[in-house]
Structures are given as structure tokens and as C-alpha cells.
């Protein structure tokens, strides 16, 4: 009997110890924060539509990005309040000052302006009069700089926010012969682009197309109404940017017999640019094949805003609030991930919710299994209010179902049923006046916060 009692006590102690250990492990999961290194790659003008993550029928234009995020969260419906670079400014503003150091994070690079990386002994070719240096992306020195910083700080928590404007128009990277985008084009496609570059003045009938491709200021000679007395090439370039927004020039191009071929070529050049960018990112992304970095670094790749390629007879960004301009491709890979592959998050997500989540990682830590629940539960996701850069077109998007647009330029009100019409082609305002009225009231009440934000670029409609 005594032996049985002793045996029972021993079993009880063993079971109790196991239960205590399990309870302890659960307490670790709940209470002990994980504070990994954080690297956010923000890619300007990145179209979600070009990634096979979002469309399985799409060719793989970015194999290195695909490999890095093969086991990650892919967010299908992230939207911005702005269709231009204010997202970058907004993002960095949330982490400025002593916020990161006070939470134990070393800052690798938190300034998206190209001037932060010096390109030694660079001079433009004598016959090129393209966009100013701010918009010519010599990203190799910047990526090398960031890579070295990552390697130097891999054993302590670092926070890196790297903004790259390489995908921004003009889409052709024609100043760097060693990494030209045209290797991804067929000989026929390359020849068509070369003709356009060699005689830009002949492109008057397709000026928006030529501008989006080359950004060549010599095009001003063909458009007297866009000439400017300003010597500053930055201002002259943005004068040219309005060619992408001007409906009369767009209509003239659309009336040409070659319009469809031009548009197809424009998209192929954009996709070639994406492949070129992916190639440039390869060495830095390959750092995450190193065991120490793989185990300790949270990597986020996101667009800064979308980009229109004539889905609604528009080019570029900033000029409207359609989804192709406001949609952000976003991929999140946790360190030591347990995901077997890509996990799609299909809920509507506000870009500010990503910032809220990252701030939580910085301050208290975060575990992978909490990601979806915490991100989707953010109350800021339900209604997303947005505006264009000139603040005369506004929208509110409700739960991936309804989108109301108030266009003060055309003096019209639009309502789209996104479940039936994800391409925003059919205005159902008259069929659902009560939905439109409720959304207009919400939009009116929540516009003041957006109206406080000004745009540093002189875009106009």
C-alpha cells in the first residue's frame, strides 16, 4: 500500500511538473515579447497587379522577391489614404525622434530621400536631358550601403525603413548600361522604344506615353503650352508630369491607331523595370538566407502607392482615388516562420493599421500566430477615406464591399459595388442611394484630417 502511495505521489509530481512546464511555456508565448530586427522595403509606384502572389496566371517577374516571401503573409486588400508619396512621409513620421532608440532599436536608414546616398563621380551623358537627379534612381549604392549596415547590426535589434523610387516613372532606366531594363524585352520591343527615345519631338500625338516611358525634357519642345521659364529641372519635370494627367493629350493618344500596341509596350516596360528592380534587390534579399538573419529579422515589402496604366484612362498616380492607385501590395515574413507557404489575408486593411502593428512590434514585441487576428481587428480597417494630391477628389471604402467617390472636378458622385465590380467600371449610385448617402456623410465628417496634409509636388488636374 505504501508503495502504491509513493508511486501515486511520484506520478502526481511528474504530471504536475509537466503541466507546470506547459503552463510556463504558454506564459512565455503570452507575456515575453519577441523584438526582432525589422526591415521595411517600400517600393514606390508598385502595382499589385504584376505579382503572381495576387494572380496565379501572371508570369513571375520578380523571382527573388518570390523566393524571399515564399513563406509569408500576403495581404490582398491594403489601401492608402493617399495616391502618392505621402505614405512614405507618414510612415517615417511615426518612427522619428527618440521613439526607436528609446525602445532599444538601432536605426539603419529611415530617410527615403535619394540625397542621403551619394553617387561618387556620376555625370549624365551629354545628350541626355532627362528627369532631375531626385528621380534618377541609382539604387545600387544605396542597397549596398543598407546591406553593409544590416550585416554590421544583425546581432542587435535594428529598424530599417528603405524607400526606393526605382519603379516611379519614367519607367526606363536608360542611364545605367550595366543593368538596363531592356534585357527583359524582345528585340522588337526594344527597337520600338529606341525609336521613341531617338526622336522625342515626333511623339506629339502620344505625349503621355512618351513621358511615362522616358521623362525626357526635350519633349517640352513639342509642347509649347508646357514650356516653363523655370531653370529648376525639378519644377520642369513636374510640369511635364501634368502630361500624364491632361485629358486632352490622353484623348489624342487614345485616338491613335497604335494606342493598344503602345499601351501593351508601356506595361511590358513597367514589368521589365520590376524584373530589373528584383535583380538589384537580389543580393540584399539573399542576406536572409543567412541563418542568423533569417532567425532574427522581420521583413516587410510594401508599395508606397499603386500606379495607373490606363485602367480608367489615366496614367501615373496622385491624380485620382481608383483602386489601382490606392492599392498597396504588402508581404510580411516573420523570422523563424512556421507558415508552410503563402497565407493570404483577404480582409480590407488600412495602411495605418500596418503602422500600428509595427509600433506594437517595436514596443512590446509580437508573435506570428497573433498577426492576422491583431491586424484585422484594428477598427481603422472598416472605413478607409482617401484623397488625390490636389484634394478635389475623395473616396471612402467600406469593408471590401462599397466604394463612394466624390469627384469635384467632374462634379459627379460615384458608387461601386466591389463584390460584383472589383474593377470599378459600373456606377451604381442611382441603384443604392441610401448606401451612397451614408458613405457621403461619413466622408464629409472624416475629410478634415486628410485636408491638413499638403503635397510637396505641384501636380494638378
Amino acid at each position: 500500500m505504501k508503495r502504491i502511495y509513493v508511486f501515486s505521489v511520484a506520478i502526481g509530481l511528474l504530471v504536475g511538473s509537466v503541466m507546470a512546464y506547459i503552463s510556463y511555456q504558454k506564459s512565455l508565448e503570452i507575456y515575453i515579447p519577441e523584438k526582432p530586427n525589422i526591415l521595411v522595403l517600400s517600393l514606390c509606384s508598385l502595382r499589385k497587379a504584376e505579382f503572381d502572389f495576387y494572380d496565379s496566371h501572371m508570369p513571375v517577374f520578380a523571382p527573388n522577391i518570390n523566393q524571399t516571401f515564399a513563406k509569408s503573409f500576403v495581404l490582398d486588400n491594403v489601401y492608402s489614404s493617399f495616391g502618392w508619396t505621402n505614405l512614405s512621409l507618414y510612415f517615417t513620421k511615426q518612427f522619428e525622434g527618440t521613439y526607436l532608440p528609446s525602445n532599444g532599436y538601432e536605426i539603419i536608414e529611415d530617410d527615403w530621400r535619394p540625397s542621403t546616398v551619394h553617387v561618387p563621380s556620376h555625370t549624365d551623358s551629354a545628350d541626355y536631358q532627362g528627369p532631375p537627379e531626385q528621380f534618377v534612381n541609382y539604387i545600387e549604392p544605396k542597397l549596398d550601403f543598407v546591406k553593409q549596415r544590416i550585416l554590421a547590426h544583425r546581432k542587435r535589434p535594428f529598424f530599417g525603413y528603405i524607400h526606393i523610387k526605382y519603379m516611379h516613372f519614367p519607367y526606363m532606366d536608360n542611364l545605367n548600361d550595366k543593368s538596363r531594363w531592356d534585357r527583359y524585352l524582345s528585340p522588337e520591343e526594344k527597337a520600338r522604344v529606341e525609336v521613341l527615345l531617338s526622336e522625342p519631338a515626333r511623339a506629339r500625338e502620344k505625349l503621355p506615353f512618351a513621358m511615362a516611358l522616358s521623362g525626357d525634357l526635350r519633349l517640352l519642345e513639342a509642347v509649347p503650352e508646357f514650356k516653363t521659364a523655370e531653370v529648376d529641372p525639378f519644377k520642369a519635370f513636374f510640369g511635364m508630369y501634368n502630361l500624364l494627367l491632361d485629358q486632352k493629350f490622353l484623348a489624342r493618344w487614345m485616338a491613335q491607331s497604335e494606342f493598344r500596341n503602345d499601351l501593351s509596350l508601356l506595361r511590358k516596360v513597367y514589368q521589365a523595370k520590376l524584373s530589373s528592380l528584383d535583380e538589384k534587390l537580389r543580393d540584399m534579399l539573399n542576406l536572409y538566407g543567412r541563418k542568423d538573419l533569417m532567425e532574427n529579422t522581420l521583413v516587410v515589402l510594401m508599395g508606397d502607392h499603386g500606379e495607373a496604366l490606363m485602367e480608367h484612362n489615366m496614367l501615373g498616380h496622385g491624380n485620382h482615388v481608383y483602386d489601382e492607385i490606392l492599392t498597396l501590395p504588402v508581404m510580411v515574413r516573420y523570422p523563424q516562420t512556421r507558415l508552410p507557404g503563402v497565407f493570404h489575408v483577404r480582409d480590407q486593411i488600412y495602411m495605418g493599421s500596418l503602422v500600428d502593428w509595427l509600433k506594437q512590434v517595436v514596443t512590446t514585441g509580437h508573435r506570428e500566430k497573433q498577426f492576422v487576428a491583431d491586424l484585422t481587428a484594428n477598427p481603422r480597417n472598416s472605413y478607409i477615406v482617401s484623397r488625390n494630391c490636389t484634394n478635389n477628389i475623395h473616396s471612402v471604402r467600406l469593408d471590401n464591399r462599397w466604394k463612394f467617390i466624390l469627384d469635384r472636378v467632374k462634379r459627379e458622385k460615384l458608387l461601386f459595388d466591389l463584390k460584383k465590380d472589383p474593377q470599378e467600371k459600373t456606377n451604381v449610385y442611382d441603384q443604392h442611394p441610401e448606401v451612397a448617402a451614408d458613405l457621403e456623410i461619413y466622408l464629409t465628417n472624416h475629410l478634415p484630417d486628410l485636408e491638413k496634409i499638403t503635397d510637396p509636388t505641384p501636380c494638378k488636374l
Side-chain angles (χ1 to χ4, degrees):
M1 189 70 179
K2 184 176 181 180
R3 289 181 179 178
I4 294 175
Y5 174 78
V6 172
F7 179 77
S8 298
V9 171
I11 291 296
L13 289 173
L14 178 61
V15 171
S17 297
V18 170
M19 295 301 294
Y21 178 76
I22 293 174
S23 177
Y24 171 70
Q25 290 299 315
K26 288 185 175 179
S27 72
L28 287 180
E29 290 183 2
I30 296 173
Y31 297 112
I32 295 183
E34 287 186 353
K35 299 186 72 171
N37 303 324
I38 300 171
L39 177 64
V40 180
L41 294 172
S42 168
L43 307 182
C44 189
S45 307
L46 194 64
R47 285 170 54 86
K48 186 180 83 169
E50 314 309 320
F51 282 96
D52 63 304
F53 282 126
Y54 299 99
D55 182 355
S56 59
H57 298 95
M58 182 66 63
V60 178
F61 296 112
N64 296 296
I65 291 175
N66 272 42
Q67 183 178 3
T68 300
F69 294 94
K71 296 181 179 181
S72 69
F73 296 100
V74 172
L75 280 58
D76 288 14
N77 296 292
V78 181
Y79 298 93
S80 172
S81 287
F82 317 104
W84 71 104
T85 54
N86 276 82
L87 174 56
S88 291
L89 302 177
Y90 169 86
F91 206 108
T92 54
K93 189 174 180 63
Q94 306 303 304
F95 297 96
E96 64 185 3
T98 61
Y99 180 80
L100 291 169
S102 66
N103 282 284
Y105 273 85
E106 183 86 10
I107 301 172
I108 280 189
E109 164 82 343
D110 64 343
D111 192 338
W112 67 270
R113 289 169 296 185
S115 60
T116 59
V117 178
H118 176 62
V119 182
S121 65
H122 166 73
T123 55
D124 289 342
S125 58
D127 61 342
Y128 184 78
Q129 301 178 45
E133 189 172 349
Q134 294 97 319
F135 281 83
V136 178
N137 281 275
Y138 299 94
I139 67 173
E140 290 92 342
K142 182 169 187 173
L143 292 179
D144 186 64
F145 166 78
V146 172
K147 182 176 71 174
Q148 297 307 318
R149 291 290 299 276
I150 287 174
L151 291 173
H153 294 276
R154 66 181 182 271
K155 295 191 182 298
R156 71 181 85 175
F158 66 75
F159 184 100
Y161 179 85
I162 317 303
H163 184 71
I164 298 171
K165 294 185 72 67
Y166 188 71
M167 295 302 296
H168 195 286
F169 67 83
Y171 302 133
M172 298 190 309
D173 177 23
N174 58 337
L175 295 183
N176 191 341
D177 292 334
K178 293 181 180 179
S179 59
R180 289 190 60 161
W181 48 268
D182 58 17
R183 72 181 66 180
Y184 301 100
L185 297 179
S186 69
E188 294 78 13
E189 291 163 347
K190 178 180 176 181
R192 288 184 60 202
V193 173
E194 293 292 348
V195 168
L196 187 67
L197 282 176
S198 63
E199 298 184 59
R202 293 179 56 189
R204 178 173 174 81
E205 300 307 317
K206 51 179 72 176
L207 280 169
F209 170 58
M211 172 58 186
L213 280 178
S214 69
D216 195 328
L217 295 184
R218 290 177 294 176
L219 287 167
L220 284 173
E221 298 173 5
V223 195
E225 53 264 56
F226 277 96
K227 283 189 176 180
T228 173
E230 297 285 354
V231 178
D232 186 346
F234 186 76
K235 293 181 180 179
F237 177 78
F238 273 101
M240 287 295 295
Y241 170 65
N242 289 304
L243 283 172
L244 276 66
L245 311 181
D246 194 299
Q247 288 298 313
K248 65 178 181 293
F249 283 106
L250 285 166
R252 185 180 297 170
W253 173 40
M254 292 172 65
Q256 301 301 305
S257 60
E258 294 184 349
F259 168 70
R260 289 297 170 189
N261 290 335
D262 289 345
L263 185 57
S264 175
L265 179 60
L266 185 67
R267 183 156 185 163
K268 288 181 179 179
V269 168
Y270 180 90
Q271 291 165 344
K273 192 78 175 284
L274 176 59
S275 295
S276 178
L277 172 63
D278 181 75
E279 183 180 339
K280 294 173 189 295
L281 289 172
R282 179 181 57 204
D283 288 346
M284 191 172 76
L285 292 175
N286 282 349
L287 291 174
Y288 295 92
R290 294 173 56 114
K291 186 176 179 181
D292 53 354
L293 292 169
M294 181 77 77
E295 290 181 346
N296 297 300
T297 307
L298 174 70
V299 189
V300 181
L301 183 141
M302 61 189 295
D304 179 58
H305 49 71
E307 190 84 340
L309 290 181
M310 298 301 288
E311 286 84 356
H312 289 89
N313 297 334
M314 297 177 185
L315 287 176
H317 53 269
N319 49 339
H320 213 283
V321 290
Y322 287 118
D323 276 5
E324 62 266 20
I325 298 174
L326 297 179
T327 302
L328 309 179
V330 178
M331 301 150 204
V332 177
R333 201 198 68 191
Y334 271 79
Q336 303 182 59
T337 180
R338 296 188 177 184
L339 290 177
V342 169
F343 185 94
H344 285 270
V345 180
R346 306 192 189 279
D347 300 61
Q348 175 174 297
I349 304 294
Y350 172 53
M351 58 93 172
S353 298
L354 291 172
V355 176
D356 293 342
W357 159 69
L358 275 175
K359 292 174 79 171
Q360 182 178 349
V361 178
V362 167
T363 55
T364 62
H366 201 272
R367 290 183 176 269
E368 182 176 61
K369 68 179 184 179
Q370 298 171 285
F371 174 73
V372 174
D374 286 356
L375 187 68
T376 58
N378 193 313
R380 300 210 283 174
N381 294 329
S382 290
Y383 292 85
I384 301 177
V385 175
S386 305
R387 52 161 282 202
N388 67 337
C389 63
T390 45
N391 202 23
N392 50 19
I393 303 176
H394 306 98
S395 71
V396 55
R397 197 178 198 280
L398 173 61
D399 288 337
N400 274 340
R401 173 64 196 274
W402 299 105
K403 184 168 178 185
F404 173 76
I405 296 178
L406 180 60
D407 188 337
R408 292 188 172 91
V409 178
K410 295 182 178 179
R411 298 183 180 180
E412 64 180 4
K413 299 177 182 180
L414 308 173
L415 180 70
F416 298 105
D417 183 344
L418 300 174
K419 294 293 184 183
K420 299 177 180 178
D421 177 30
Q423 305 302 318
E424 301 173 282
K425 298 294 186 181
T426 304
N427 181 12
V428 295
Y429 181 89
D430 292 336
Q431 291 93 310
H432 301 278
E434 71 289 345
V435 174
D438 289 345
L439 291 178
E440 184 172 5
I441 291 172
Y442 186 93
L443 179 65
T444 302
N445 291 336
H446 290 81
L447 272 182
D449 290 339
L450 295 184
E451 291 173 346
K452 296 175 184 176
I453 299 173
T454 58
D455 182 50
T457 60
C459 60
K460 65 182 181 181
L461 289 176

